[in-house]
Amino acid sequence: MASNPDPKLDSLLDKKLAALSNLVARCLPALHSDSFAGELIMGLRALVPIDDASVLYYARGDLPKLVYRESPESRSESNMERFLAGAFLLDPFYQAAAENRRFGVFPLKELAPERFRDSEYYHSWYRNCGFSDECGFLIEIGKDAFVNVALGRIQQRRFSQAQLRILRSLRSAVEELCRQHWTSESGSGVGIRKHLHLALDDFGSSLLTERETQVINLVLHGHSTKSVAHRLGISVETVKLHRKHAYAKLEVSSQAELFYLFLDSLMSANDYRGGDTLVSYLAKPERHS
């Protein structure tokens, strides 16, 4: 015997289908135009509550291109400039796509390292975004290019499991729309991001031992002392000792100072082609005035 239909459930389903239809209808005419990303966000907002959003396009080898951004007062221009210039290397969403080739719909907690909210990347950059939660579409666009559609919640609100299910159910449609929009774009081929990865890997190597450099690299990525120990196969106490020695050699006393030293040296490196950015950074005359 057939069960009686639930009018409330049917009404909710109708609304979601209408919102999905509206998402596609908004985006199709905007393909290959500057309005596409904004139309995509508006369509997603009709399905899931979104407080803030941005869309970043990572062309092959290039620095990220900010193609859409909503700008609450809590997010400064200098903060975003710092992210685009190099802090993105430490972004869990970027690392998932660029380094681990993970694509799909992910809440931050699935990608962030252990104790991410204790990391200096979180305190010095991420927290300034004003987010209490973030969810992102990571979409592969051809070879070595991808898009991050970043959706944020503020005021201690998080994405619910039901909302995540809705976003994941939209994955195929959003992916195809984005691929159609960006498929004709290509990077410069210069490989700037590759150089920045080398800069991060080599940061401090002119002053530190190989193990100290490894520890500092993982600390910059937001890993806790315990996580660093696990990844390197050494004890927690040994990690603490390496970090103490590295901080002394770099003349920093905290993760905050380490983070800004990395960013400052990276942003001051002109035409970087390899090696430790600290070599040229520490040699600048103004450093000794």
Side-chain angles (χ1 to χ4, degrees):
M1 182 176 179
S3 59
N4 293 327
D6 185 335
K8 291 184 178 180
L9 184 60
D10 287 346
S11 176
L12 179 62
L13 180 59
D14 288 342
K15 289 181 180 179
K16 295 301 181 184
L17 288 173
L20 173 59
S21 176
N22 179 63
L23 168 69
V24 175
R26 297 183 72 107
C27 290
L28 284 178
L31 287 174
H32 310 299
S33 75
D34 292 340
S35 64
F36 173 79
E39 295 295 344
L40 175 63
I41 295 301
M42 291 298 292
L44 291 173
R45 183 172 270 123
L47 285 153
V48 171
I50 300 168
D51 298 320
D52 179 58
S54 60
V55 179
L56 292 155
Y57 176 58
Y58 294 84
R60 182 172 63 88
D62 287 353
L63 293 175
K65 178 182 179 182
L66 184 64
V67 296
Y68 178 85
R69 179 192 182 196
E70 295 176 355
S71 305
E73 294 180 0
S74 60
R75 188 187 296 183
S76 68
E77 288 297 327
S78 61
N79 204 43
M80 179 55 71
E81 288 174 4
R82 185 177 291 114
F83 178 87
L84 296 174
F88 72 88
L89 293 172
L90 309 179
D91 176 25
F93 288 94
Y94 172 77
Q95 291 171 7
E99 300 179 18
N100 302 320
R101 312 305 298 168
R102 293 184 67 183
F103 300 101
V105 181
F106 304 98
L108 175 64
K109 64 182 180 182
E110 285 189 20
L111 304 179
E114 180 188 2
R115 300 181 67 83
F116 171 70
R117 293 179 184 273
D118 292 333
S119 71
E120 195 51 46
Y121 173 75
Y122 173 81
H123 287 289
S124 298
W125 189 85
Y126 190 86
R127 187 174 61 179
N128 293 333
C129 296
F131 291 169
S132 59
D133 198 14
E134 183 180 4
C135 181
F137 285 83
L138 293 177
I139 303 167
E140 189 172 21
I141 308 290
K143 183 179 180 181
D144 299 326
F146 62 94
V147 169
N148 179 11
V149 180
L151 312 175
R153 303 298 304 275
I154 60 176
Q155 297 178 350
Q156 304 305 312
R157 292 182 292 183
R158 296 185 177 276
F159 288 101
S160 68
Q161 289 301 311
Q163 290 164 353
L164 290 174
R165 284 195 297 271
I166 290 173
L167 291 173
R168 284 171 172 150
S169 71
L170 299 172
R171 176 182 174 181
S172 295
V174 173
E175 283 182 342
E176 186 57 32
L177 286 167
C178 288
R179 286 173 182 148
Q180 289 294 326
H181 177 69
W182 276 289
T183 188
S184 61
E185 295 193 28
S186 60
S188 65
V190 175
I192 298 174
R193 277 196 283 123
K194 181 180 179 180
H195 293 155
L196 294 185
H197 279 284
L198 292 174
L200 177 58
D201 290 341
D202 288 339
F203 176 70
S205 60
S206 63
L207 301 173
L208 310 178
T209 67
E210 180 179 358
R211 184 62 93 187
E212 288 167 353
T213 302
Q214 292 172 339
V215 168
I216 289 304
N217 185 277
L218 290 171
V219 169
L220 281 170
H221 277 82
H223 289 276
S224 66
T225 301
K226 182 178 178 181
S227 178
V228 173
H230 175 73
R231 282 176 169 259
L232 298 181
I234 56 181
S235 71
V236 169
E237 291 305 315
T238 300
V239 170
K240 291 179 179 178
L241 186 62
H242 283 313
R243 187 172 61 187
K244 178 181 179 180
H245 289 164
Y247 278 19
K249 292 177 182 179
L250 296 174
E251 298 183 2
V252 299
S253 59
S254 66
Q255 285 190 32
E257 292 183 10
L258 175 68
F259 183 77
Y260 283 111
L261 178 61
F262 165 66
L263 287 182
D264 285 347
S265 68
L266 180 61
M267 294 175 72
S268 68
N270 296 319
D271 195 28
Y272 176 79
R273 287 295 180 270
D276 183 6
T277 54
L278 284 177
V279 174
S280 59
Y281 178 72
L282 294 176
K284 289 183 180 295
E286 59 267 24
R287 294 281 301 176
H288 307 290
S289 58

